[in-house]
Amino acid sequence: MTTKPLRHGESRCYRQGCRRDECRTAYRTERKIADYRASKGIKNPDCSDVAAHIRRLLASGRTRLDIAAEAHVSERAIRLYLEGLRQPRLSNARALLSVKPLSHTPRVPVVGTARRIQAMAYQGWAIKHTAPAAGCSWSYFFEILRGDYTTMPREIAEAVEQLARKLNGTTGPSGQSRAAARRNGWVPLAAWDNIDDPADEPNLGADDEMGRNELAAYRRQEIAHLASFGIPEQDIAARLGISDSTVQQQIRDMRKAA
């Protein structure tokens, strides 16, 4: 965990042993405020209260990045508050509680967006490329794929739709993403008649055999690439999610062809 550096004029600087006048004054001011709040029975916001408020913000259509930017609190801290792993400082609690839910932001089902993220991965566009391009964090895309949400803000869904349309038919740079997409059974955009319909089923047809051939080709490329660095066969198999014997056979075939 990264610790915020000490600065003179902060009460915590005094608590660490500094006795400069500005640090002493900050500490005394902090104690006076704490004594006053205690005398009036005012309690600091509880972590559960802050987490509940953050969930209301998320339900209204805000994202964690949006909340973090408005409250000037890190997204990581927000995640820790939500998971109950950290007690918020008073300043952070006040900042987060001051953020208001969105009142009229339209929301749409998340299913179409999840399928578009999967389709882009199928083409070799990893989440580390697609999430920032759509104005989102990696974690938000992973949460969508994990099924953490049933609805999402319309503007984000539209941004993902535009990106998927832009990248459609263009092969991305990540062979690992392509291989993972096929292992997970994800399909390209063309497989959907109505990608936003939860009842729609993908239809690959002749593309199914092509997809298997592409996957085999990608695996051969990845095996050759990893083997060129001297990575053990069992480690290559573990990385690609295939058997040791498959890796051994591929390497033997490549050596014969050479």
Side-chain angles (χ1 to χ4, degrees), residues 82-105:
L82 283 170
E83 296 174 358
L85 298 178
R86 178 185 292 179
Q87 183 71 23
R89 296 196 303 269
L90 180 59
S91 59
N92 283 359
R94 286 175 174 170
L96 289 166
L97 292 172
S98 69
V99 179
K100 302 299 182 185
L102 299 177
S103 56
H104 300 293
T105 300

Side-chain angles (χ1 to χ4, degrees), residues 27-159:
Y27 176 76
R28 287 175 176 172
T29 300
E30 180 187 79
R31 294 309 312 156
K32 286 179 181 178
I33 293 173
D35 292 342
Y36 173 79
R37 291 174 61 85
S39 68
K40 298 296 184 181
I42 302 173
K43 296 181 179 180
N44 288 343
D46 186 81
C47 186
S48 60
D49 297 334
V50 174
H53 182 71
I54 294 172
R55 291 190 181 94
R56 285 193 292 272
L57 297 176
L58 293 171
S60 78
R62 289 191 179 275
T63 65
R64 288 211 300 245
L65 280 176
D66 173 32
I67 298 168
E70 184 164 334
H72 301 289
V73 176
S74 71
E75 186 189 7
R76 180 175 180 273
I78 290 175
R79 176 175 58 80
L80 293 174
Y81 300 156
L82 283 170
E83 296 174 358
L85 298 178
R86 178 185 292 179
Q87 183 71 23
R89 296 196 303 269
L90 180 59
S91 59
N92 283 359
R94 286 175 174 170
L96 289 166
L97 292 172
S98 69
V99 179
K100 302 299 182 185
L102 299 177
S103 56
H104 300 293
T105 300
R107 296 181 68 83
V108 296
V110 77
V111 59
T113 298
R115 289 169 175 174
R116 289 181 176 94
I117 295 170
Q118 293 170 357
M120 289 186 287
Y122 184 96
Q123 294 174 208
W125 295 101
I127 284 177
K128 69 177 182 180
H129 295 292
T130 55
C136 299
S137 65
W138 302 8
S139 60
Y140 186 58
F141 266 28
F142 281 118
E143 288 163 2
I144 288 174
L145 294 177
R146 200 167 57 220
D148 289 0
Y149 308 106
T150 56
T151 63
M152 63 183 300
R154 181 183 297 276
E155 62 268 24
I156 297 179
E158 290 176 348

